[in-house]
mmCIF file of all heavy atoms in Angstrom:
data_model
loop_
_atom_site.group_PDB
_atom_site.id
_atom_site.type_symbol
_atom_site.label_atom_id
_atom_site.label_comp_id
_atom_site.label_asym_id
_atom_site.label_seq_id
_atom_site.Cartn_x
_atom_site.Cartn_y
_atom_site.Cartn_z
ATOM 1 N N SER A 64 23.066 -38.872 133.628
ATOM 2 C CA SER A 64 22.864 -38.796 132.199
ATOM 3 C C SER A 64 21.585 -38.021 131.910
ATOM 4 O O SER A 64 20.609 -38.105 132.637
ATOM 5 C CB SER A 64 22.788 -40.208 131.641
ATOM 6 O OG SER A 64 22.550 -40.162 130.270
ATOM 7 N N SER A 65 21.592 -37.263 130.840
ATOM 8 C CA SER A 65 20.401 -36.485 130.505
ATOM 9 C C SER A 65 19.907 -36.865 129.121
ATOM 10 O O SER A 65 20.535 -37.621 128.406
ATOM 11 C CB SER A 65 20.736 -34.994 130.546
ATOM 12 O OG SER A 65 21.708 -34.709 129.570
ATOM 13 N N GLY A 66 18.784 -36.318 128.737
ATOM 14 C CA GLY A 66 18.246 -36.572 127.409
ATOM 15 C C GLY A 66 17.134 -37.594 127.435
ATOM 16 O O GLY A 66 16.736 -38.103 128.483
ATOM 17 N N ILE A 67 16.648 -37.905 126.246
ATOM 18 C CA ILE A 67 15.492 -38.791 126.119
ATOM 19 C C ILE A 67 15.775 -40.206 126.625
ATOM 20 O O ILE A 67 14.921 -40.839 127.233
ATOM 21 C CB ILE A 67 14.961 -38.819 124.669
ATOM 22 C CG1 ILE A 67 13.580 -39.471 124.639
ATOM 23 C CG2 ILE A 67 15.922 -39.530 123.740
ATOM 24 C CD1 ILE A 67 12.830 -39.232 123.358
ATOM 25 N N ASN A 68 16.987 -40.726 126.415
ATOM 26 C CA ASN A 68 17.291 -42.077 126.879
ATOM 27 C C ASN A 68 17.263 -42.177 128.387
ATOM 28 O O ASN A 68 16.855 -43.191 128.937
ATOM 29 C CB ASN A 68 18.643 -42.551 126.341
ATOM 30 C CG ASN A 68 18.553 -42.949 124.889
ATOM 31 O OD1 ASN A 68 17.476 -43.201 124.374
ATOM 32 N ND2 ASN A 68 19.693 -42.990 124.227
ATOM 33 N N ALA A 69 17.729 -41.136 129.080
ATOM 34 C CA ALA A 69 17.703 -41.149 130.532
ATOM 35 C C ALA A 69 16.274 -41.146 131.049
ATOM 36 O O ALA A 69 15.950 -41.800 132.035
ATOM 37 C CB ALA A 69 18.469 -39.946 131.082
ATOM 38 N N GLU A 70 15.395 -40.432 130.355
ATOM 39 C CA GLU A 70 14.010 -40.318 130.800
ATOM 40 C C GLU A 70 13.171 -41.532 130.423
ATOM 41 O O GLU A 70 12.365 -42.021 131.214
ATOM 42 C CB GLU A 70 13.380 -39.060 130.197
ATOM 43 C CG GLU A 70 11.999 -38.776 130.739
ATOM 44 C CD GLU A 70 11.446 -37.456 130.222
ATOM 45 O OE1 GLU A 70 12.224 -36.619 129.728
ATOM 46 O OE2 GLU A 70 10.227 -37.275 130.319
ATOM 47 N N TYR A 71 13.365 -42.051 129.216
ATOM 48 C CA TYR A 71 12.499 -43.118 128.714
ATOM 49 C C TYR A 71 13.174 -44.477 128.558
ATOM 50 O O TYR A 71 12.511 -45.468 128.348
ATOM 51 C CB TYR A 71 11.899 -42.723 127.352
ATOM 52 C CG TYR A 71 11.014 -41.513 127.453
ATOM 53 C CD1 TYR A 71 11.450 -40.287 127.000
ATOM 54 C CD2 TYR A 71 9.750 -41.605 128.013
ATOM 55 C CE1 TYR A 71 10.641 -39.170 127.082
ATOM 56 C CE2 TYR A 71 8.932 -40.486 128.113
ATOM 57 C CZ TYR A 71 9.387 -39.275 127.651
ATOM 58 O OH TYR A 71 8.599 -38.177 127.748
ATOM 59 N N GLY A 72 14.484 -44.537 128.591
ATOM 60 C CA GLY A 72 15.171 -45.803 128.379
ATOM 61 C C GLY A 72 15.185 -46.200 126.920
ATOM 62 O O GLY A 72 14.942 -45.386 126.040
#
Side-chain angles (χ1 to χ4, degrees):
S64 178
S65 63
I67 194 165
N68 284 341
E70 187 175 342
Y71 297 105

